[in-house]
Amino acid sequence: MDPLIITVAAVGAELIRDQQPALPLTPDEIGRDALECERAGASIYHLHVRDASGNPTMDVGAFEAALDAIRSQTELIVQFTSGGAVGDDADARAAPLRLRPEMATLTTGSVNFGEGVFLNPLPLVRRLYARMRALGIVPEFEIFEAGMIANALLVTEEHGVDHHLHFDFVLGVAGALPAWDGVIDFLSARLPPGATWSATGIGRSHLAVTGAAIAKGGHVRTGLEDTRYFAPGVLASSNAQLVARVADLAGQARRGVAGPAEARRVLGLTQVS
Ligand code: KMH
Ligand code: ZN
């Protein structure tokens, strides 16, 4: 098995400080948080940013400030969201890509998301994908529903596959695919040879999905975007606490944890700035 790549989804677009006091919001807070997460075992920082009021934004300047804060203190792979918050339009979602993060997320289908709809029609998926590839950005396909794997393969084949394929199974979003027994096996069996995957359980399913991904040779995403709790009724004290628990579970399963350089090797990241 490859060493375990731990992604930390540290900020998200939905949680607010009142619900989770440890949520990093400003570039300074994000930089400090990233350093702690790297020390705890993370190799990828999945990035959303907030405006001065703490609201989610796709403002390019806000992404740039956070990217600089992370890059100046860590070796982490920075992975921008291209999903933003439910309702963000296509231009806003594409804009930060011009900063050329090494990775960006790409959700390859529309899906209910709580009471809203996270809209990803194929023309938008194609547009975001083409923009990422033109800029040398490696996408991570966010799989909230099984059919999104087929869409990801369709779009990559149309374009001509010229990069490593990496998928993230996001299980347990209200309105989308739950973390049912057997789901990880079902999804991972549908990936092409050589592809890699990670998994995250949203909310209550978080720990069970983490354990299954480690055992089955996948990688793991954790962080306050995905679970604000460390245990039932106990808020996480930081993103780093969640990362450290994943690293500890990997150690118990006798699986090494990848540093950023190893993660770049596994994911075929070769971007030169
Ligand atoms: N906030 C969700 C609507 C991503 O980062 O690519 C979308 C999301 C996925 O978080
Ligand atoms: Zn996200």
Side-chain angles (χ1 to χ4, degrees):
M1 278 188 202
D2 285 326
L4 184 76
I5 297 170
I6 303 175
T7 298
V8 59
V11 184
E14 286 80 28
L15 200 59
I16 60 171
R17 259 285 166 72
D18 287 352
Q19 298 167 307
Q20 203 349 318
L23 191 67
L25 297 178
T26 67
D28 277 358
E29 290 167 356
I30 288 173
R32 269 197 302 278
D33 184 72
L35 181 59
E36 286 172 20
C37 288
E38 182 180 46
R39 288 178 174 155
S43 47
I44 302 178
Y45 201 87
H46 170 64
L47 184 65
H48 291 250
V49 295
R50 304 297 179 98
D51 64 18
S53 308
N55 295 315
T57 176
M58 295 301 287
D59 177 71
V60 176
F63 271 89
E64 191 164 28
L67 181 64
D68 287 348
I70 300 167
R71 282 192 174 154
S72 65
Q73 298 177 68
T74 78
E75 299 295 319
L76 289 169
I77 298 159
V78 181
Q79 179 195 75
F80 280 9
T81 180
S82 77
V86 164
D88 283 342
D89 71 22
D91 290 343
R93 288 171 56 179
L97 296 176
R98 74 174 162 81
L99 299 173
R100 297 184 69 237
E102 283 178 275
M103 296 186 81
T105 53
L106 183 58
T107 300
T108 48
S110 300
V111 63
N112 285 350
F113 196 96
E115 299 296 314
V117 181
F118 181 28
L119 274 176
N120 296 287
L122 269 179
L124 171 62
V125 174
R126 288 193 182 97
R127 172 182 162 184
L128 291 171
Y129 182 70
R131 181 88 178 125
M132 287 177 198
R133 294 311 298 143
L135 292 166
I137 299 166
V138 173
E140 173 181 281
F141 298 107
E142 303 304 311
I143 307 301
F144 292 76
E145 286 286 358
M148 292 186 190
I149 294 177
N151 290 343
L153 298 179
L154 173 75
V155 170
T156 55
E157 278 157 22
E158 282 174 356
H159 189 271
V161 186
D162 59 355
H163 61 89
H164 178 79
L165 296 179
H166 183 62
F167 297 78
D168 181 44
F169 306 144
V170 186
L171 306 176
V173 167
L177 183 62
W180 284 323
D181 282 354
V183 159
I184 289 180
D185 292 334
F186 177 87
L187 297 175
S188 58
R190 270 141 195 92
L191 303 185
T196 50
W197 59 272
S198 61
T200 183
I202 303 303
R204 227 167 290 170
S205 64
H206 193 72
L207 203 48
V209 169
T210 297
I214 292 171
K216 292 172 186 294
H219 302 280
V220 169
R221 186 174 111 165
T222 190
L224 296 174
E225 178 173 345
D226 297 345
T227 177
R228 77 176 105 137
Y229 293 103
F230 187 74
V234 181
L235 287 175
S237 60
S238 66
N239 279 303
Q241 182 193 37
L242 294 167
V243 172
R245 175 170 64 181
V246 178
D248 184 48
L249 290 169
Q252 291 179 40
R254 304 238 179 284
R255 189 144 174 222
V257 173
E262 267 178 308
R264 285 186 172 89
R265 179 185 58 74
V266 171
L267 298 171
L269 302 182
T270 55
Q271 194 183 93
V272 282
S273 43

